[in-house]
Amino acid sequence: MQGTLLPKFAKKLDLVDNNTLVLKTFNDYASDIDRQLIEVNITSDSKLVNKSIADADISEDILILMIKRRGKTIVPKGVTIIEDGDVLVITGDNLDHISF
């Protein structure tokens, strides 16, 4: 429900060009950006183990999209604790130079 009224209000306030498509899906953005997803295996010697994502000193240009943990998929939040054995699925800038 959140955000579903935005297009309607934008049109009502005359913020939208009626000749331009306003609504896009995730797939519509695929051609706009060139991003890669990388899986990072977290081992016991990682500096991230037992830290929350908020406290993990991860570069601001890296986004953790999900965590694979013991056969489950977790949508991470700032309070999510990174554990030994986790697989982080990340995207962002400068992925060639990351180290966890």
Side-chain angles (χ1 to χ4, degrees):
M1 185 83 166
Q2 183 177 8
T4 58
L5 295 176
L6 288 177
K8 189 173 190 172
F9 282 117
K11 285 181 182 179
K12 181 91 171 156
L13 296 171
D14 198 30
L15 300 172
V16 176
D17 178 0
N18 290 325
N19 298 320
T20 304
L21 179 62
V22 175
L23 302 175
K24 283 187 167 185
T25 66
F26 180 79
N27 290 336
D28 293 328
Y29 290 97
S31 62
D32 293 347
I33 55 174
D34 181 28
R35 290 279 179 219
Q36 66 183 95
L37 302 178
I38 294 180
E39 290 188 349
V40 178
N41 295 307
I42 301 300
T43 59
S44 61
D45 60 341
S46 170
K47 64 182 180 178
L48 302 182
V49 170
N50 297 323
K51 290 188 179 178
S52 70
I53 290 175
D55 294 332
D57 193 31
I58 297 171
S59 173
E60 290 183 9
D61 58 352
I62 301 293
L63 177 63
I64 301 174
L65 300 171
M66 75 174 143
I67 299 174
K68 297 178 183 181
R69 179 181 293 158
R70 295 185 291 280
K72 295 185 180 183
T73 300
I74 298 170
V75 177
K77 299 175 178 65
V79 296
T80 302
I81 303 296
I82 300 170
E83 297 180 5
D84 178 22
D86 283 354
V87 177
L88 308 182
V89 179
I90 65 170
T91 190
D93 298 326
N94 303 317
L95 294 177
D96 297 331
H97 306 290
I98 62 165
S99 63
F100 292 129

